[in-house]
């Protein structure tokens, strides 16, 4: 009797023991998984930290030798090991500005077309096509630019432009020299085609955050379509549009392959945008594997650091602006 | 009054006309690119492209070693990058949904998503090629992995955020520990979305050239050794397109077509999977 009572008490205790063990194992597994995921999240931060640290580390020799003069010097001489970043920075900025000047109006036009004018049946197919094009690797745009666009511009477009502006002061400086085909203007044009799908699809997404009621009330008091876009859609989406454009600018600044094929790789700042130039990314892509000597390699890494700093700032601004429109959409 | 109205209507019509025109210009430009790509690509494409090695200058050959090299490095890049990105995304969506760490990681991750890939290449060069003393396929895979991570982090977080909280609550009420709720309930519910993210990541890295230029370099011969330089489709395209040899340029077009078709197939599959999920 007493034995039976004892065993009946002991049994659940044993069961509870194994149960405790299982729970303990669950708890350990739980903690391990939590720590694992958290470590990976922190690793993403470390990745960025690692990029910044290694670039700074790699650029120390060049910065020690040239100091801040590196930013303004136009020299690029591997033989005497004298380097400067000015032509590459200039080329990077000017090609991106050309790209934005062409792609922003076109991209906004496409977005307006997709959200306001396009027949419903075509909206999804065209929208999807634009998004698919945004994913095409940039090297495709590059070889198209080199084999198709550059010869076309050289034969048919650039001579005409040079002739038209030959007697216009200032502009004849901007559009002068022999028509090379390749050069800063061509690179800017290729970049503009490349970022066009990106700008269009972001602007379309941003336009779609406008509440229909707002637009309908404007139409209701007799606004034309243009007036609705100008006075309702544009102010409502302004911040998001600027964010999207900055994102495209970030892409254009750092783009390598689309530019390298057609930029001409000339380390000089020429007044004519038809002439060859270089960008930071094109310089690195063209010369890094062939660079011998610590100073040459280090100068190229310093260029990379500059590019990273510029795009980091542009992309940060873009994220902050886009975050604002996202919270607006959620409201 | 009617003059004003007419002026307003004309202005609107002109503006809308410009929008239609810009859509036309944009689509025609992109159509031109695709047309040139398909025209030149298909005329350069034949069976030899898939069976022969990259040729020396001025002779015919194929892209076999480059295709295999691309596949190997993409595979290892995704193998390294995807789990890291998935766990990071899991933390952001499941454990630290409102924590400060998540906000910071999301911000940094979005920047990494658009950061110039050539800079990632420089970083990997510094940490692998300089340490090992030579270029290698491992370095190339690591460079690609770092490009996979932000894409996967982003999609994982987004997809897990879409999983209804009631599912997790139901599982928790049954006594399931949190890690099992995530692995057996949340992951299953978000499976299609997670695969979509993976496919997008593969599409993203399969055309990347810049980071491979000075990590994996190139290799004219057949090589599957991971600690030796390895050819990849984008780098071969880059080298061949810039060459003066007709055969090389043809192969460059063929390779470009292959990459584009692969990327389009991947993104369309991803899209179809994503659409299935939302329609359910």
């Amino acid at each position: 009797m007493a034995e039976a009572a004892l065993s009946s008490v002991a049994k659940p205790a044993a069961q509870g023991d194994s149960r405790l063990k299982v729970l303990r194992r669950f708890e350990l597994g739980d903690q391990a998984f939590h720590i694992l995921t958290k470590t990976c999240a922190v690793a993403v931060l470390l990745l960025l930290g690692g990029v910044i640290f290694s670039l700074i580390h790699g650029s120390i020799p060049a910065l020690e030798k040239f100091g801040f003069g590196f930013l303004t010097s136009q020299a690029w001489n591997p033989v005497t090991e004298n380097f400067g970043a000015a032509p590459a920075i200039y080329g990077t900025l000017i090609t991106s500005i050309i790209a934005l000047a062409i792609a922003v109006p076109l991209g906004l036009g496409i977005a307006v077309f997709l959200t306001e004018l396009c027949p419903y049946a075509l909206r999804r197919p065209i929208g999807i096509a634009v998004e698919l094009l945004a994913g095409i690797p940039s090297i495709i745009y590059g070889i198209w630019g080199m084999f198709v666009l550059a010869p076309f511009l050289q034969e048919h477009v650039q001579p005409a432009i040079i002739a038209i502006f030959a007697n216009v002061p200032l502009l004849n400086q901007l559009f002068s020299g022999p028509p090379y085909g390749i050069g800063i203007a061509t690179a800017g044009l290729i970049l503009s085609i490349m970022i066009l799908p990106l700008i269009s699809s972001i602007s379309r997404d941003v336009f779609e955050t406008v509440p229909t009621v707002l637009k309908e009330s404007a139409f209701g008091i007799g606004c034309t379509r243009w007036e609705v876009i100008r006075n309702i859609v544009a102010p409502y989406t302004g911040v998001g549009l600027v964010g999207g454009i900055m994102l495209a600018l970030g892409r254009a600044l750092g783009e390598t392959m689309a530019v390298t094929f057609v930029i001409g790789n000339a380390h000089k700042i020429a007044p004519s945008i038809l002439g060859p130039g270089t960008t930071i990314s094109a310089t690195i892509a063209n010369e890094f594997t062939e660079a011998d000597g610590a100073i040459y390699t280090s100068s190229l890494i310093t260029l990379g650091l500059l590019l990273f700093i510029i795009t980091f700032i542009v992309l940060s601004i873009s994220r902050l602006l886009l975050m604002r429109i996202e919270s607006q959409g959620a409201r | 009054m009617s003059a004003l109205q007419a002026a307003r209507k004309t202005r609107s019509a002109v503006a809308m006309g410009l929008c239609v025109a810009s859509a036309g210009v944009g689509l025609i430009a992109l159509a031109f690119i695709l047309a040139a790509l398909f025209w030149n690509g298909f005329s350069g494409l034949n069976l030899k492209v898939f069976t022969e090695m990259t040729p020396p200058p001025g002779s015919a050959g194929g892209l076999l070693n480059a295709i295999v090299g691309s596949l190997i490095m993409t595979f290892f890049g995704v193998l390294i990058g995807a789990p890291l990105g998935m766990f990071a995304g899991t933390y952001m969506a499941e454990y630290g949904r409102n924590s400060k760490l998540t906000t910071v990681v999301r911000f940094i991750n979005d920047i990494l998503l658009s950061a110039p890939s050539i800079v990632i290449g420089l970083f990997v060069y510094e940490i692998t090629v300089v340490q090992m003393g030579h270029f290698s396929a491992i370095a190339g895979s690591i460079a690609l992995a770092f490009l996979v991570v932000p894409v996967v982090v982003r999609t994982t977080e987004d997809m897990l955020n879409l999983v209804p909280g009631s599912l997790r609550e139901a599982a928790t009420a049954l006594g399931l520990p949190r890690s099992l709720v995530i692995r057996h309930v949340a992951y299953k519910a978000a499976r299609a979305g997670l695969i979509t993210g993976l496919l997008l990541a593969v599409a993203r890295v399969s055309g990347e050239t810049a980071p491979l230029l000075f990590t994996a370099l190139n290799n004219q011969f057949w090589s599957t050794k991971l600690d030796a330089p390895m050819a990849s489709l984008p780098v071969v395209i880059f080298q061949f397109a810039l060459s003066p040899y007709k055969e090389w340029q043809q192969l460059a077009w063929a390779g470009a077509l292959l990459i584009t078709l692969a990327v389009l197939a991947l993104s369309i599959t991803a899209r179809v999977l994503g659409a299935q999920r939302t329609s359910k």
Side-chain angles (χ1 to χ4, degrees), chain A residues 30 54 131 146 222 227 301, chain B residues 8 22 123 126 179 241 260 271:
Chain A
D30 229 26
S54 79
E131 278 169 33
M146 188 177 72
E227 284 162 352
I301 293 178
Chain B
R8 285 174 55 209
S22 60
F123 167 56
E126 286 272 303
S179 62
T260 310
R271 197 162 266 286

Side-chain angles (χ1 to χ4, degrees), chain B:
Chain B
M1 176 64 190
S2 72
L4 178 63
Q5 202 165 25
R8 285 174 55 209
K9 280 201 161 155
T10 335
R11 196 184 301 160
S12 180
V14 168
M16 293 307 115
L18 285 177
C19 286
V20 176
S22 60
V25 169
L27 290 177
I28 287 172
L30 294 166
F32 264 133
I33 295 183
L34 287 183
L37 175 67
F38 280 86
W39 177 258
N40 291 299
F42 274 117
S43 63
L45 204 59
N46 51 44
L47 203 60
K48 275 189 179 171
V49 169
F50 301 99
T51 55
E52 287 183 16
M53 304 298 143
T54 45
S59 58
L63 294 168
L64 179 62
N65 52 343
I67 295 172
V68 172
S70 266
L71 289 176
I72 290 176
M73 282 191 282
T74 306
F75 174 77
F76 281 105
V78 173
L79 196 70
I80 302 167
L84 182 64
M86 223 173 99
F87 287 135
T90 306
Y91 176 79
M92 291 157 76
E94 298 286 342
Y95 287 110
R97 199 172 271 207
N98 297 311
S99 76
K100 241 196 175 97
L101 178 64
T102 300
T103 320
V104 176
V105 172
R106 192 182 299 135
F107 186 79
I108 296 300
N109 189 63
D110 280 341
I111 287 177
L112 285 175
L113 202 57
S114 308
S117 55
I118 194 158
V119 172
I120 304 289
L122 283 180
F123 167 56
V124 175
Y125 172 86
E126 286 272 303
I127 60 166
T128 59
V129 179
V130 172
Q131 311 301 329
M132 292 167 70
H134 59 90
F135 300 101
S136 69
I138 297 175
S141 305
I142 293 175
L144 293 184
F146 286 163
L147 295 169
V148 167
V149 169
V151 183
V152 176
V153 169
R154 184 67 194 266
T155 47
T156 307
E157 196 205 351
D158 286 353
M159 291 304 146
L160 287 178
N161 275 335
L162 288 178
V163 174
S166 51
L167 270 184
R168 293 193 191 92
E169 282 160 13
T172 311
L174 290 175
L176 223 53
R178 190 133 185 214
S179 62
L180 293 185
V181 174
I182 294 170
R183 277 181 302 184
H184 293 282
V185 179
Y187 278 175
K188 283 226 169 97
R191 191 167 50 192
L194 296 178
I195 295 173
T196 304
L198 212 59
L199 291 177
L200 288 178
V202 176
R204 161 87 203 270
V205 298
S206 55
E208 275 296 348
T209 322
L212 292 179
L213 284 173
F214 31 79
T215 51
L217 201 68
N218 198 353
N219 195 335
Q220 205 200 314
F221 307 103
W222 172 262
S223 166
T224 52
K225 274 210 296 247
L226 286 181
D227 62 345
M230 189 180 271
S232 65
L233 219 31
V235 174
V236 168
I237 294 173
F238 179 59
Q239 187 200 351
F240 280 15
L242 283 171
S243 78
Y245 311 108
K246 202 96 222 115
E247 292 87 352
W248 276 20
Q249 292 180 0
Q250 279 247 311
L251 279 174
W253 276 111
L257 179 66
L258 288 181
I259 288 187
T260 310
L261 291 179
V263 168
L264 283 181
L266 283 166
S267 25
I268 290 172
T269 317
R271 197 162 266 286
V272 171
L273 273 178
Q276 269 177 352
R277 219 192 52 75
T278 44
S279 67
K280 229 188 277 172

Side-chain angles (χ1 to χ4, degrees), chain A residues 69-75 84-92 268-269 278 303:
Chain A
F70 185 75
L71 293 176
T72 51
S73 164
Q74 285 199 43
I89 297 176
Y90 167 81
T92 303
K268 56 172 197 217
I269 300 180
T278 193
L303 280 181

